[in-house]
Amino acid sequence: MRKRTTSAWRSAAAVCALLLTAAGCGSDDDGKAAHAPDKLGKGEGKVNIIAWAGYAEDGSNDPRADWVHPFEKKTGCKVDTKTAGTSDEMVSLMKTGQYDTVSASGDATLRLIASGDAAPVNTKLVPNYKDIFPALKQQPFNSKGGRMYGIPHGRGANLLMYRTDKVKPAPDSWRAVFDDAAAHQGRVTAYDSPIYIADAALYLKHAKPSLGIKNPYALDEKQLDAAVTLLKKQHRAIGEYWSDYQKEITAFKGGDSVIGTTWQVIANLTQAEKAPVKAVLPKEGATGWSDTWMVSAKAEHPNCAYKWLDWIVSPKVNAQVAEYFGEAPANRKACAETSDPNHCAVFHADDEKYFQRVHFWTTPIKRCLDGRKNTTCTDYAQWTRAWTEVKG
């Protein structure tokens, strides 16, 4: 499961390259010389993949979860998977040029586009792309200049989970983990990543409209300072920050955590462990993720990479991954292939009204993503430094 958590230099470009390696500098460069192929050739016999745990299963973790070996048998492309623990790790690995494709979340995609490490994709070479939910196409986190830079894989929301026996009345706002966090001193939990700053910004958008926050990923310095101040206040009530889903399940089951951010799959597994928890989408909405399979601009095995992209979003395989990982599939035909007929309903796969309330992770860049023209926004490198400051 994912753990998500960013004189010697002769030019600004060199400094930017350094920042991109560490955390992302938020450049607006358009993928440099990267380009999409016009046609595919014969498979190269191999594909090197960077993936979240659970996305490229070969049966070694669970014999019932294996969509790698069938792919190898069908295509002749042997899969070599590197499991990454964070988006920052994915960005760093892609820079090595040793990998062909990556299952990047929105807090990594724009960095990969800006640095030229990801190439635009020719969606005509991915037949199953036509069945991807329209709302996942041409989004700010997976496209640029009208070109898709990947194939959508799946999506989910970051929810508010609480112990029903410890937190009363039932919360319906993120206020419970921010302004009211002290009510559960030492037993509040939060996602351990700089991108969590967007959760605070989303709450402030509603709690303090005078700040003028329109997009939780487009924060000027004043808005970022307000989010950091709120997170520092919350920090005093935090028991632990989580990135390992198993640790969060254990914490809620044992009562060490009673309220905090979570994913639907974690809530489901915690309930399966007989812990009295419930997860809700608060009235302010929520942040969330939409993952995208991107192709390296330096891919040594581009033909096998494209075959993988089409395979992983094919209806049956996309359904398998969505159920194993716990998310909404990207292919609308996958809902008819899930072993649990209620899976897509539970994860709101085709509920666009639900996802209109979800602000998908997007890499913060200096060009304000909310449309402001005469303002410079803070980028991911600044968010990374701010997150370090929050945690002390």
PDB file of all heavy atoms in Angstrom, residues 168-185:
ATOM      1  N   LYS A 168     -17.822  12.262  19.964  1.00  0.00           N
ATOM      2  CA  LYS A 168     -19.245  12.599  19.926  1.00  0.00           C
ATOM      3  C   LYS A 168     -19.419  14.098  20.172  1.00  0.00           C
ATOM      4  O   LYS A 168     -18.717  14.659  21.017  1.00  0.00           O
ATOM      5  CB  LYS A 168     -20.005  11.794  20.979  1.00  0.00           C
ATOM      6  CG  LYS A 168     -19.932  10.279  20.748  1.00  0.00           C
ATOM      7  CD  LYS A 168     -20.701   9.532  21.805  1.00  0.00           C
ATOM      8  CE  LYS A 168     -20.610   8.003  21.557  1.00  0.00           C
ATOM      9  NZ  LYS A 168     -21.362   7.238  22.569  1.00  0.00           N
ATOM     10  N   PRO A 169     -20.348  14.714  19.437  1.00  0.00           N
ATOM     11  CA  PRO A 169     -21.183  14.166  18.368  1.00  0.00           C
ATOM     12  C   PRO A 169     -20.348  13.833  17.137  1.00  0.00           C
ATOM     13  O   PRO A 169     -19.188  14.243  17.025  1.00  0.00           O
ATOM     14  CB  PRO A 169     -22.174  15.297  18.082  1.00  0.00           C
ATOM     15  CG  PRO A 169     -21.416  16.540  18.436  1.00  0.00           C
ATOM     16  CD  PRO A 169     -20.583  16.164  19.623  1.00  0.00           C
ATOM     17  N   ALA A 170     -20.965  13.102  16.221  1.00  0.00           N
ATOM     18  CA  ALA A 170     -20.259  12.702  15.006  1.00  0.00           C
ATOM     19  C   ALA A 170     -19.817  13.944  14.231  1.00  0.00           C
ATOM     20  O   ALA A 170     -20.621  14.831  13.976  1.00  0.00           O
ATOM     21  CB  ALA A 170     -21.173  11.836  14.146  1.00  0.00           C
ATOM     22  N   PRO A 171     -18.540  14.052  13.879  1.00  0.00           N
ATOM     23  CA  PRO A 171     -18.051  15.240  13.167  1.00  0.00           C
ATOM     24  C   PRO A 171     -18.501  15.264  11.710  1.00  0.00           C
ATOM     25  O   PRO A 171     -18.625  14.220  11.070  1.00  0.00           O
ATOM     26  CB  PRO A 171     -16.535  15.098  13.278  1.00  0.00           C
ATOM     27  CG  PRO A 171     -16.320  13.617  13.331  1.00  0.00           C
ATOM     28  CD  PRO A 171     -17.471  13.064  14.124  1.00  0.00           C
ATOM     29  N   ASP A 172     -18.726  16.468  11.210  1.00  0.00           N
ATOM     30  CA  ASP A 172     -19.053  16.629   9.797  1.00  0.00           C
ATOM     31  C   ASP A 172     -18.192  17.708   9.147  1.00  0.00           C
ATOM     32  O   ASP A 172     -18.460  18.143   8.033  1.00  0.00           O
ATOM     33  CB  ASP A 172     -20.531  16.970   9.610  1.00  0.00           C
ATOM     34  CG  ASP A 172     -20.898  18.336  10.196  1.00  0.00           C
ATOM     35  OD1 ASP A 172     -20.041  18.949  10.876  1.00  0.00           O
ATOM     36  OD2 ASP A 172     -22.033  18.776   9.975  1.00  0.00           O
ATOM     37  N   SER A 173     -17.139  18.127   9.875  1.00  0.00           N
ATOM     38  CA  SER A 173     -16.264  19.193   9.395  1.00  0.00           C
ATOM     39  C   SER A 173     -14.822  18.893   9.765  1.00  0.00           C
ATOM     40  O   SER A 173     -14.542  18.246  10.786  1.00  0.00           O
ATOM     41  CB  SER A 173     -16.683  20.529  10.023  1.00  0.00           C
ATOM     42  OG  SER A 173     -15.698  21.526   9.822  1.00  0.00           O
ATOM     43  N   TRP A 174     -13.897  19.411   8.945  1.00  0.00           N
ATOM     44  CA  TRP A 174     -12.477  19.274   9.252  1.00  0.00           C
ATOM     45  C   TRP A 174     -12.092  20.095  10.478  1.00  0.00           C
ATOM     46  O   TRP A 174     -10.972  19.949  10.997  1.00  0.00           O
ATOM     47  CB  TRP A 174     -11.629  19.706   8.055  1.00  0.00           C
ATOM     48  CG  TRP A 174     -11.686  18.759   6.901  1.00  0.00           C
ATOM     49  CD1 TRP A 174     -12.265  18.967   5.688  1.00  0.00           C
ATOM     50  CD2 TRP A 174     -11.153  17.422   6.858  1.00  0.00           C
ATOM     51  NE1 TRP A 174     -12.125  17.848   4.889  1.00  0.00           N
ATOM     52  CE2 TRP A 174     -11.441  16.897   5.574  1.00  0.00           C
ATOM     53  CE3 TRP A 174     -10.463  16.625   7.773  1.00  0.00           C
ATOM     54  CZ2 TRP A 174     -11.065  15.608   5.194  1.00  0.00           C
ATOM     55  CZ3 TRP A 174     -10.085  15.341   7.387  1.00  0.00           C
ATOM     56  CH2 TRP A 174     -10.384  14.849   6.119  1.00  0.00           C
ATOM     57  N   ARG A 175     -13.010  20.907  10.958  1.00  0.00           N
ATOM     58  CA  ARG A 175     -12.756  21.673  12.182  1.00  0.00           C
ATOM     59  C   ARG A 175     -12.353  20.743  13.323  1.00  0.00           C
ATOM     60  O   ARG A 175     -11.559  21.105  14.194  1.00  0.00           O
ATOM     61  CB  ARG A 175     -14.015  22.462  12.571  1.00  0.00           C
ATOM     62  CG  ARG A 175     -13.843  23.298  13.834  1.00  0.00           C
ATOM     63  CD  ARG A 175     -15.141  24.019  14.226  1.00  0.00           C
ATOM     64  NE  ARG A 175     -14.911  24.821  15.418  1.00  0.00           N
ATOM     65  CZ  ARG A 175     -14.494  26.081  15.408  1.00  0.00           C
ATOM     66  NH1 ARG A 175     -14.273  26.693  14.255  1.00  0.00           N
ATOM     67  NH2 ARG A 175     -14.301  26.721  16.539  1.00  0.00           N
ATOM     68  N   ALA A 176     -12.885  19.515  13.298  1.00  0.00           N
ATOM     69  CA  ALA A 176     -12.621  18.555  14.372  1.00  0.00           C
ATOM     70  C   ALA A 176     -11.138  18.236  14.517  1.00  0.00           C
ATOM     71  O   ALA A 176     -10.672  17.911  15.620  1.00  0.00           O
ATOM     72  CB  ALA A 176     -13.412  17.274  14.123  1.00  0.00           C
ATOM     73  N   VAL A 177     -10.365  18.310  13.421  1.00  0.00           N
ATOM     74  CA  VAL A 177      -8.936  17.986  13.509  1.00  0.00           C
ATOM     75  C   VAL A 177      -8.056  19.229  13.394  1.00  0.00           C
ATOM     76  O   VAL A 177      -6.827  19.127  13.442  1.00  0.00           O
ATOM     77  CB  VAL A 177      -8.510  16.961  12.435  1.00  0.00           C
ATOM     78  CG1 VAL A 177      -9.183  15.621  12.673  1.00  0.00           C
ATOM     79  CG2 VAL A 177      -8.805  17.475  11.030  1.00  0.00           C
ATOM     80  N   PHE A 178      -8.683  20.390  13.280  1.00  0.00           N
ATOM     81  CA  PHE A 178      -7.907  21.621  13.217  1.00  0.00           C
ATOM     82  C   PHE A 178      -8.241  22.519  14.414  1.00  0.00           C
ATOM     83  O   PHE A 178      -7.615  22.392  15.461  1.00  0.00           O
ATOM     84  CB  PHE A 178      -8.134  22.325  11.870  1.00  0.00           C
ATOM     85  CG  PHE A 178      -7.476  21.624  10.716  1.00  0.00           C
ATOM     86  CD1 PHE A 178      -8.223  21.137   9.653  1.00  0.00           C
ATOM     87  CD2 PHE A 178      -6.101  21.432  10.698  1.00  0.00           C
ATOM     88  CE1 PHE A 178      -7.609  20.482   8.593  1.00  0.00           C
ATOM     89  CE2 PHE A 178      -5.474  20.773   9.653  1.00  0.00           C
ATOM     90  CZ  PHE A 178      -6.235  20.295   8.599  1.00  0.00           C
ATOM     91  N   ASP A 179      -9.205  23.354  14.322  1.00  0.00           N
ATOM     92  CA  ASP A 179      -9.501  24.278  15.426  1.00  0.00           C
ATOM     93  C   ASP A 179      -9.930  23.564  16.700  1.00  0.00           C
ATOM     94  O   ASP A 179      -9.699  24.059  17.799  1.00  0.00           O
ATOM     95  CB  ASP A 179     -10.591  25.275  14.996  1.00  0.00           C
ATOM     96  CG  ASP A 179     -10.039  26.361  14.074  1.00  0.00           C
ATOM     97  OD1 ASP A 179      -8.838  26.669  14.186  1.00  0.00           O
ATOM     98  OD2 ASP A 179     -10.802  26.877  13.243  1.00  0.00           O
ATOM     99  N   ASP A 180     -10.559  22.388  16.574  1.00  0.00           N
ATOM    100  CA  ASP A 180     -11.027  21.656  17.760  1.00  0.00           C
ATOM    101  C   ASP A 180     -10.147  20.452  18.092  1.00  0.00           C
ATOM    102  O   ASP A 180     -10.556  19.569  18.844  1.00  0.00           O
ATOM    103  CB  ASP A 180     -12.474  21.181  17.547  1.00  0.00           C
ATOM    104  CG  ASP A 180     -13.458  22.335  17.437  1.00  0.00           C
ATOM    105  OD1 ASP A 180     -13.092  23.464  17.827  1.00  0.00           O
ATOM    106  OD2 ASP A 180     -14.576  22.111  16.944  1.00  0.00           O
ATOM    107  N   ALA A 181      -8.955  20.391  17.543  1.00  0.00           N
ATOM    108  CA  ALA A 181      -8.092  19.226  17.740  1.00  0.00           C
ATOM    109  C   ALA A 181      -7.745  18.977  19.200  1.00  0.00           C
ATOM    110  O   ALA A 181      -7.569  17.830  19.627  1.00  0.00           O
ATOM    111  CB  ALA A 181      -6.805  19.383  16.928  1.00  0.00           C
ATOM    112  N   ALA A 182      -7.666  20.039  19.995  1.00  0.00           N
ATOM    113  CA  ALA A 182      -7.279  19.891  21.404  1.00  0.00           C
ATOM    114  C   ALA A 182      -8.260  19.028  22.195  1.00  0.00           C
ATOM    115  O   ALA A 182      -7.909  18.480  23.241  1.00  0.00           O
ATOM    116  CB  ALA A 182      -7.161  21.271  22.053  1.00  0.00           C
ATOM    117  N   ALA A 183      -9.477  18.884  21.689  1.00  0.00           N
ATOM    118  CA  ALA A 183     -10.466  18.047  22.375  1.00  0.00           C
ATOM    119  C   ALA A 183     -10.041  16.582  22.389  1.00  0.00           C
ATOM    120  O   ALA A 183     -10.545  15.793  23.203  1.00  0.00           O
ATOM    121  CB  ALA A 183     -11.836  18.190  21.705  1.00  0.00           C
ATOM    122  N   HIS A 184      -9.125  16.226  21.512  1.00  0.00           N
ATOM    123  CA  HIS A 184      -8.637  14.844  21.438  1.00  0.00           C
ATOM    124  C   HIS A 184      -7.107  14.848  21.513  1.00  0.00           C
ATOM    125  O   HIS A 184      -6.420  14.172  20.747  1.00  0.00           O
ATOM    126  CB  HIS A 184      -9.122  14.186  20.145  1.00  0.00           C
ATOM    127  CG  HIS A 184     -10.604  14.274  19.945  1.00  0.00           C
ATOM    128  ND1 HIS A 184     -11.497  13.565  20.720  1.00  0.00           N
ATOM    129  CD2 HIS A 184     -11.344  15.044  19.102  1.00  0.00           C
ATOM    130  CE1 HIS A 184     -12.724  13.856  20.341  1.00  0.00           C
ATOM    131  NE2 HIS A 184     -12.660  14.754  19.367  1.00  0.00           N
ATOM    132  N   GLN A 185      -6.609  15.597  22.460  1.00  0.00           N
ATOM    133  CA  GLN A 185      -5.176  15.800  22.642  1.00  0.00           C
ATOM    134  C   GLN A 185      -4.381  14.490  22.602  1.00  0.00           C
ATOM    135  O   GLN A 185      -4.677  13.541  23.325  1.00  0.00           O
ATOM    136  CB  GLN A 185      -4.919  16.498  23.977  1.00  0.00           C
ATOM    137  CG  GLN A 185      -3.487  16.923  24.219  1.00  0.00           C
ATOM    138  CD  GLN A 185      -3.085  18.097  23.333  1.00  0.00           C
ATOM    139  OE1 GLN A 185      -3.910  18.907  22.950  1.00  0.00           O
ATOM    140  NE2 GLN A 185      -1.811  18.190  23.019  1.00  0.00           N
TER     141      GLN A 185
END
